[in-house]
Amino acid sequence: MTNETVLCTRCRHEIPLTQYYLDPNNGAVKKFFGKIEIEHASAFVYFNKKGIVQELIHNLKYKGHEEIGVVLGKWYVEDLKELQLKTPFDIIIPVPLHPKKFKERGYNQVASFGKALAEGLKIPYDDSVLYRTKYSKTQSKKNLLGRSENIENIFDVILKEENHNKHFLIVDDVLTTGATLEACSRALLKIEGAKISIACMAMANS
């Protein structure tokens, strides 16, 4: 309809929201228990195979529909504004693509989502701090063990004094095992005084 953008009203109502921002010990946080220290972790919606969310992510990731990330970011940022954190987020960092993958796809599928969050939270979006050192195939096609083995040490950071003691909010599309985000976090924790939080568009039901 004329007043609808990207998503129709019916689909909006059918999207399974996690409400994780209301629970400090939510399912996303539990992915990182005993692995890395994080300030906050959450995902906006649940990802179910053959559902609306899968279709949205597929169109965002492979069909060039970056406007989907904008819509989800503007929607989710209203939840993130409600968080009661000891220290607010300072910078939003996207999970980076390897330059080869970026050239193949033409864009980072989480960029529009991250930029929408940054605009809503009135903080910087910076894709120059964290980078991917190795090209790897799509993680979703690997089993848990394969992901864990292949994900280590494939991210690194550019160390700048201006980023010391910052609270980084890492954004990604779908949270599955958490291996990729754990690797990103470990790289960012090389920065003096860094604090880490995580926000994803969706979380896979398992």
Side-chain angles (χ1 to χ4, degrees):
M1 298 177 68
T2 54
N3 63 332
E4 296 173 340
T5 304
V6 181
L7 277 167
C8 70
T9 302
R10 179 181 174 183
C11 284
R12 272 183 176 263
H13 286 299
E14 290 181 0
I15 286 178
L17 305 177
T18 66
Q19 302 290 302
Y20 276 175
Y21 73 101
L22 298 172
D23 181 7
N25 292 311
N26 63 63
V29 171
K30 290 176 182 177
K31 293 278 187 183
F32 304 100
F33 277 174
K35 297 176 182 177
I36 52 169
E37 185 176 343
I38 56 173
E39 306 299 309
H40 166 81
S42 62
F44 182 40
V45 298
Y46 288 113
F47 181 99
N48 298 304
K49 288 186 176 181
K50 298 182 180 179
I52 294 170
V53 174
Q54 183 186 43
E55 187 173 344
L56 285 171
I57 299 295
H58 181 84
N59 277 279
L60 168 62
K61 195 169 182 176
Y62 302 111
K63 302 293 185 181
H65 289 288
E66 294 185 84
E67 68 274 12
I68 291 170
V70 176
V71 169
L72 294 179
K74 287 183 175 180
W75 193 357
Y76 192 29
V77 78
E78 297 306 316
D79 292 350
L80 294 180
K81 287 177 181 178
E82 299 299 317
L83 292 174
Q84 301 295 318
L85 299 174
K86 291 181 181 179
T87 56
F89 307 127
D90 293 308
I91 303 171
I92 290 183
I93 305 285
V95 171
L97 297 180
H98 188 272
K100 182 180 176 182
K101 177 73 76 175
F102 187 90
K103 187 175 181 181
E104 290 171 358
R105 187 170 294 162
Y107 60 97
N108 184 335
Q109 74 274 10
V110 301
S112 59
F113 176 70
K115 289 174 182 177
L117 293 182
E119 182 180 350
L121 295 171
K122 295 180 172 55
I123 59 175
Y125 170 91
D126 193 338
D127 60 6
S128 68
V129 178
L130 182 68
Y131 65 95
R132 189 181 289 254
T133 61
K134 299 176 184 177
Y135 178 82
S136 60
K137 294 181 179 180
T138 303
Q139 290 293 308
S140 61
K141 296 180 181 177
K142 299 175 183 176
N143 61 30
L144 175 57
L145 181 61
R147 290 183 195 186
S148 299
E149 289 176 344
N150 290 308
I151 209 70
E152 289 184 15
N153 303 316
I154 70 167
F155 298 101
D156 207 346
V157 291
I158 295 175
L159 297 173
K160 296 179 182 178
E161 190 173 343
E162 64 195 56
N163 289 325
H164 288 183
N165 303 307
K166 298 295 185 183
H167 185 176
F168 298 101
L169 177 62
I170 311 172
V171 294
D172 201 7
D173 48 14
V174 183
L175 174 57
T176 51
T177 67
T180 298
L181 287 158
E182 181 185 344
C184 288
S185 300
R186 291 188 187 282
L188 284 168
L189 285 170
K190 294 177 184 178
I191 299 171
E192 184 178 325
K195 290 183 171 62
I196 305 294
S197 286
I198 290 163
C200 298
M201 298 180 212
M203 178 162 163
N205 272 328
S206 58

